[in-house]
Structure formats: C-alpha cells, structure tokens
Amino acid sequence: MFRTVLIANRGEIALRVARACRELGIRVAVVYSTEDTDSEVVRYADEAVRIGPGAAQASYLSIPAVMEAARRTGAEAIHPGYGFLSENADFAEVCAAEGITFIGPPPEVMEALGDKSTCRALMADAGLPLLPGTLDPVSSPREAEVLAAEIGFPVVVKAVSGGGGRGIGVAHSAAEFPAVYRETRRHAAAVFGDGRVYLERYLESARHVEIQVLADRFGNVIHLGERDCSVQRRHQKLIEEAPAPGLDEDVVAAMAEHAVQGAKAAGYVGAGTFEFLYDGRGRFYFMEVNCRIQVEHPVTELVTGVDLVHEQLWIAAGHPLRIGRQDVVPRGCAVECRINAEDADRDFVPTPGLIDELALPSGPFVRVDTHVRSGSRISVFYDPLLAKVTVWAPDRKLALARMGRALDEVRLEGKGIRTTAGFLRSVVDSGEFSTARHDTGLVGRLLEPRPVAGEGRVTAPSHAQQPPKAS
Amino acid sequence: MSTPDSVATLDGLMNDGRPDTLPSVLEAAKASMIELLSQAPFPPSAVRVTVGPVTIEMDWPGTAPDAGTALEARVVPAPAQTMPTPGDGPVLDHIHAPTVGVFYRAPEPGAKPFVSEGDTVVPGQQVGLVEAMKLMIPVESDRQGTIEEFLQPNGALVEYGDPLCSFVPADGR
C-alpha cells in the first residue's frame, strides 16, 4: 500500500479521501488554495502545500503546481477526488511520466471514455443499448438540422467534452433547434475548450439510473448495484438513492451486466460509474461513463458496506479485487441529499458568505459528509455544496422519514447564506417522489408556476415556509 | 439602470501606460467584486464590471444609497502585492511567489542574479524565477521601486504567495 497519498482536491471529498487514507495507515498530503487556508482538510492533513490563489485555474487545475506538491511531499500516488483534474487524461499521463500513481483509470481509457463521441462508439461495439443519435460529432449547423429531424424531437445537444451536467441543451422542436445548437456549441467551446457536439433523442420522462463498478488491472470487473439519481435540476443531481425504487429486478440486472461488459471492453481500472436512462417501460439506454469517485457514492457504501475509496486505493496500489460479486449483498435503502448554499426562492442563486452558526443532522443511521463548520466562509470560487446528508433504513419509507427528520435538523445562520435543505424537504415529501413515481422532470414540475385554486392567478410554490413534518 | 450603491474606479491602475496592466486590473477588479459581494447584506440584483477605466457597479433595486450602510468601495490587492505598512520608516512592499516551486535568483547556476539588493526595478522587470515541474515561471515586479532585501535564499522551497523579497516602492504607496 502507499505510504503517502496527495489529495488534489478540496471540500468534502478531500476530507472523505483523507479519512480513508488515515484508516489505511497512509500519510495524508493535501494541496490548497489561499481561499482554503482555514479548511478542515488542511487542519486534518499530515502535510499541506499552498499551490495557488482562489481561482481554480491557477491552483487546483494547475498541473505543474499539483505535481510540484506531489514531489515535495514524497507522494507515491495522487487521489484527484471528483471535478478539477479527476477526469483529465493529460494529468494522468503526467503522473505516469513522473512515476506517480494516478488513482483512476489509465490515461488512454480516460481519454476514450471522456470523449463522449468515442465513448458512444466504443459502448455500441460492446453491445450497450444507445439512444438514437449521432456517433460522430456534428460538423455543421445544416447537417445538425437534418440529423435532428431524422432522430426526431425532442433532441438533446451534448458537448463531446461535457460533464457534470454542463454542456447540454434540449430542443423540443425544429424551430427551437438552431438556437439550442448554437448556444450549446458556444458554451462548450467556452467552458471545455472544445465546441464539438453530438445529438441524441431526448427522453422527456425517464429515470436516471447508474451502475457502480470496480475493476482491477487484471481484467476483473464487478458491479455494486445501482443508484437512482433522477431528482435533478438543470442536469445537476440533488437527491440520490440506492436501490432504485420501483425498478424491475431483471431490468437492473441487465443494466449491471451491460456496465460490466462495457468496463471490460474499455479496459477500465478503478471505481467507475455507467449512467443509463430508463424509459419506465422496460427499456434503458447507455448515456456515459464517469471515470472517478462520484458525489453520490455514499448511498452505495451504505447499502453494500463497501468503502469505495478504500477499494480505489487498493486497486491503484496494484492489487487484484479483494471482493467478489458474491460479497456484495445490498441491504435496506439509502438516500442522499446535497445541501447547497443556494437560494431556492431566487432561482437557486449561490449564496456565498460567512457561516456564523451551523448545526448539521446526526442521530441513528445518518451520515454527513461536509467540510464546513461555524466560522467557515463559503467562497464564490467553488461549488456551493455545503454537505451531503445520507441516511440508511431497512426500507424506503423509513429512509424518507429519516431524511425528512435529518433535513429539519439543518440549521445555518450567516448573513446572506441560504441552504437548499427546505426545498429538498419539499421534494422528499412530494407525492411523486415518496411513491417512487418520479423521473428527471420532477423538480421542474415542482418549480413550475401553478394556478392557485379560486384566485385566478399563478404563483410559484414557496420553499421559504417550513415544510410539513413527516408523519 | 438604478443608482449604483457601490462604485470602484481604478483609474490609477490604468494610467501607467503599460499594455500588460490590463490583466492585473482585471484581477484586482474581480477580487474587489468578490470581496464586495461577500460583504453585501444581501445579494445584489445586478452587477456590472467595465474595464478601461475599470468600474464596478452593483444594484440593489428599491434601496437608495444610505451613508450609514452603503458599502465602501475599495480595491483589494492582488496576491502579488501587499498594502503599505503605516509607520515612520520607508514604506515596504513585497514581491510574492507566483506558484509553489523552487525559487532561484539567477537564470541558471553560476549566472549573475536577475537583480541585487539595492537595485531599482521597473514594472515588468524579472527579479527571479520559480521552478515547478521543470517549468520556469518568472517572478516580476509589478511596480517601480528599490529592492531592499531577499527573504528567501537561492534554491528555497516556496509556496504560492510566500514573500520573496521586500522593496521600497518609488511612489511611496
């Protein structure tokens, strides 16, 4: 096993990885920006190296700075967490060239799977079902219009290099298409430095279901079951759970089989996630592969008892998988809510600022992954994730009641800061979600202005009010 | 557009006539805006940033500027600068490490240092370099002044923002 691992990330995932390292007797080194000088993980680590200013481009995304920190701390491996450099094939290559283990798949695998177009072609060859769409990037607006008409509306325009819910545009009709196409290309070029896009049929009401896999460098691949991540707003996940409620066991088994097949075909190594859309009528379609640990990994950990970061470290150290499929016995139900510093009443605008007082949930079967405390400053430089609250229960009904109770326990005081806890509570309490009849359109429907009976005017649901208590 | 509650003008940074001033003005404008946003009583409805000369405007609809509560506009220094220390002696400033790495005072071993203590430097003049992953990142002065003392030895391991040398700015600010 490694003696020292450098964590090239920040926030809750940096602390999560640091804890796993500590449990395995691995020395913890971290990088940090000036904005994160007082962060929990800097306090926690055995060694911390200040690598740049708040702007991620000059700190967490600076390959020379991260590599210098690795050299200085004597790290034998780098854990990239999620986001930042976690799916950067160039970075993985630099690590390899410097003799440092990148904790993730090999650079060439990451490159093939990170390019959505190459990935779709690879997975089509491996027999995974794809939505109707283009395998190659679209070369011109005119060609795009013709192909979109052939695919049939609604059509989703996706950035070849996109990810994390960004670089996606949906056109519901031929009239809408040119503007959506132009805007997605422009956004992709600006954000990812790659304006190439491809087209796919858009499923209006689908479930987002993903399969967690673990693979070693000897070609062994297992899956750890599925997660349902259908509660999303603008393609950003808000609530995740395991197992996917209301899904036929055969459908999940077939999806998992395809994921293992895809991972083998790609030569995948490490922890990875295969994302699918399920149409509610027995059909599912492959979307993409996430070559990293994911934000929502705790729900899988709680139902399987497998520590995914431990397994990542074990595999990266060159060992064969130490658990087999037979060792993965899912039990009960786990639900995760992402508590963001955002104002749900004002279109989810981020609310940076200083946290004066903070109390996060605890109690039986409640796990909180966070990096903030009273006195923390929520920086405008980074994502607004404050905490992930994950609960476990023997069944979904109790898990949702437990989540409702946990969300009610979130208390935050700080000038200008709002959290999404109240809004998430209203989603958990909604009839569609609590009876597992939801899909990826749920949040949009809950936020839609709707007529108020007898008043003849429209209003948006208020999330400022205290949601009803769970019965 | 309603009356801005907060206006920061950075004419001084624009008036030195150098084409490479713009990035530092933008950096300072961004830092200033972030600082103002983080201190605002509640988020503004609009923010406008113009460059040349730089102006930051933030609007809070329905609120008239109030002498007691209006935010004081100010420019936050970029990490490569520090504010002058009040006192009777000469005003000191510092040049900071632009990244984590190894600090060198000369372009190669045995070569003459870029500058020596007591030398006068002009904006953009290289005073050292930081090596990170075989990349040589120049360390430059962003203003005119006299190098007083190097605070890090040649070959020192430095982190981002570490002060590398002190100097006395020519304009006393």
Side-chain angles (χ1 to χ4, degrees):
Chain A
M1 189 44 84
F2 307 112
R3 283 188 302 273
T4 300
V5 167
L6 178 77
I7 300 166
N9 212 300
R10 64 175 303 281
E12 66 87 16
I13 193 63
L15 200 52
R16 160 77 186 91
V17 174
R19 287 181 166 132
C21 290
R22 190 62 54 81
E23 286 166 8
L24 295 174
I26 299 169
R27 190 169 159 271
V28 176
V30 298
V31 298
Y32 69 100
S33 75
T34 49
E35 282 287 293
D36 288 329
T37 301
D38 296 324
S39 69
E40 282 294 285
V41 78
V42 169
R43 293 182 183 193
Y44 190 91
D46 297 298
E47 188 174 2
V49 181
R50 189 173 63 247
I51 57 163
Q57 206 63 39
S59 48
Y60 297 108
L61 286 169
S62 167
I63 293 175
V66 171
M67 295 309 294
E68 173 64 23
R71 191 190 61 75
R72 185 169 299 189
T73 55
E76 298 151 295
I78 296 180
H79 195 302
Y82 52 69
F84 294 132
L85 295 171
S86 63
E87 293 182 281
N88 185 319
D90 291 342
F91 177 57
E93 253 180 50
V94 172
C95 288
E98 293 295 318
I100 290 174
T101 303
F102 173 81
I103 300 176
E108 60 277 10
V109 174
M110 205 158 25
E111 191 155 8
L113 298 180
D115 182 302
K116 303 289 185 289
S117 203
T118 322
C119 178
R120 275 168 63 80
L122 187 59
M123 292 305 144
D125 287 347
L128 274 67
L130 303 185
L131 277 164
T134 58
L135 281 178
D136 296 320
V138 186
S139 60
S140 72
R142 180 167 293 278
E143 185 199 2
E145 282 182 45
V146 172
L147 290 170
E150 275 177 23
I151 292 165
F153 290 95
V155 160
V156 59
V157 183
K158 286 187 176 178
V160 166
S161 302
R166 296 184 305 167
I168 296 172
V170 178
H172 292 90
S173 65
E176 263 182 38
F177 183 79
V180 171
Y181 175 79
R182 261 197 320 275
E183 175 53 27
T184 310
R185 276 187 62 102
R186 191 198 60 74
H187 182 83
V191 175
F192 308 110
D194 176 2
R196 292 176 304 148
V197 295
Y198 67 97
L199 310 178
E200 207 175 72
R201 166 77 61 75
Y202 182 66
L203 291 184
E204 293 279 11
S205 56
R207 293 272 288 277
H208 176 125
V209 182
E210 57 190 32
I211 306 289
Q212 175 73 55
V213 300
L214 286 174
D216 64 22
R217 62 176 67 170
F218 308 100
N220 303 306
V221 183
I222 61 165
H223 74 86
L224 287 88
E226 82 282 13
R227 296 187 283 258
D228 185 308
C229 310
S230 302
V231 181
Q232 303 180 359
R233 180 182 165 274
R234 295 187 181 165
H235 311 292
Q236 298 275 355
K237 295 164 190 166
L238 304 180
I239 300 176
E240 303 96 344
E241 63 179 303
L247 241 67
D248 192 281
E249 273 180 26
D250 294 342
V251 169
V252 173
M255 218 180 262
E257 197 179 311
H258 279 296
V260 169
Q261 210 170 303
K264 283 183 175 165
Y268 198 85
V269 177
T273 300
F274 281 68
E275 295 193 336
F276 296 89
L277 280 177
Y278 174 66
D279 73 355
R281 294 184 296 278
R283 285 186 301 258
F284 60 86
Y285 306 94
F286 166 78
M287 276 198 300
E288 62 182 51
V289 185
N290 293 140
C291 300
R292 52 177 158 81
I293 193 79
Q294 284 192 286
V295 177
E296 59 269 30
H297 75 275
V299 293
T300 298
E301 294 188 325
L302 291 192
V303 295
T304 62
V306 175
D307 186 310
L308 287 167
V309 180
H310 279 196
E311 298 313 311
Q312 277 192 304
L313 290 160
W314 178 260
I315 293 164
H319 301 296
L321 284 179
R322 56 182 172 181
I323 50 172
R325 177 63 203 148
Q326 71 285 353
D327 301 316
V328 181
V329 185
R331 186 165 166 266
C333 171
V335 182
E336 173 185 291
C337 280
R338 303 187 189 190
I339 315 287
N340 285 345
E342 293 173 339
D343 190 342
D345 289 329
R346 294 194 310 119
D347 202 27
F348 293 81
V349 62
T351 54
L354 184 69
I355 299 175
D356 295 321
E357 292 289 335
L358 178 68
L360 289 170
S362 66
F365 305 101
V366 176
R367 164 178 170 173
V368 178
D369 291 56
T370 188
H371 61 295
V372 294
R373 59 180 185 273
S374 298
S376 293
R377 182 173 285 281
I378 305 305
S379 169
V380 295
F381 283 109
Y382 311 114
D383 72 66
L385 183 65
L386 290 173
K388 303 185 313 200
V389 174
T390 315
V391 302
W392 182 90
D395 58 61
R396 188 170 191 261
K397 190 178 175 199
L398 182 54
L400 295 189
R402 190 161 272 157
M403 178 57 83
R405 181 272 284 178
L407 290 171
D408 286 347
E409 289 180 17
V410 175
R411 293 280 179 270
L412 184 145
E413 298 293 330
K415 197 164 67 178
I417 306 184
R418 301 282 180 277
T419 84
T420 51
F423 172 73
L424 293 167
R425 177 74 205 259
S426 67
V427 178
V428 169
D429 286 345
S430 70
E432 269 191 72
F433 184 73
S434 60
T435 56
R437 287 179 292 110
H438 61 293
D439 55 47
T440 51
L442 172 66
V443 173
R445 289 191 290 277
L446 289 175
L447 291 171
E448 257 171 29
R450 58 178 181 234
V452 173
E455 292 189 17
R457 62 184 175 84
V458 293
T459 182
S462 171
H463 311 297
Q465 296 165 0
Q466 186 68 17
K469 301 283 180 198
S471 54
Chain B
M1 191 156 193
S2 58
T3 310
D5 290 87
S6 168
V7 177
T9 307
L10 310 178
D11 302 81
L13 279 165
M14 294 297 295
N15 288 341
D16 68 359
R18 290 174 48 233
D20 59 347
T21 304
L22 188 58
S24 62
V25 172
L26 282 169
E27 186 62 34
K30 190 174 75 179
S32 180
M33 190 173 70
I34 288 164
E35 181 75 8
L36 288 166
L37 279 171
S38 69
Q39 293 176 2
F42 50 89
S45 61
V47 174
R48 190 179 72 181
V49 179
T50 56
V51 178
V54 173
T55 302
I56 301 170
E57 294 184 1
M58 298 183 193
D59 290 350
W60 284 267
T63 56
D66 179 324
T69 57
L71 290 166
E72 184 188 344
R74 60 199 171 93
V75 177
V76 178
Q81 302 173 346
T82 50
M83 296 303 284
T85 315
D88 295 334
V91 176
L92 277 187
D93 207 331
H94 294 90
I95 297 173
H96 298 256
T99 187
V100 62
V102 183
F103 173 59
Y104 293 108
R105 288 186 54 192
E108 58 189 68
K112 191 174 164 229
F114 292 104
V115 292
S116 299
E117 287 161 354
D119 284 357
T120 298
V121 293
V122 296
Q125 183 172 343
Q126 188 168 357
V127 301
L129 62 84
V130 172
E131 181 189 356
M133 280 297 295
K134 302 184 185 80
L135 285 180
M136 302 299 173
I137 296 141
V139 182
E140 296 173 352
S141 175
D142 63 350
R143 60 171 77 184
Q144 189 164 344
T146 304
I147 299 289
E148 192 189 73
E149 183 186 5
F150 275 93
L151 304 170
Q152 304 282 350
N154 199 49
L157 301 176
V158 295
E159 295 188 2
Y160 168 77
D162 281 348
L164 301 175
C165 68
S166 59
F167 82 121
V168 182
D171 60 6
R173 293 190 287 120

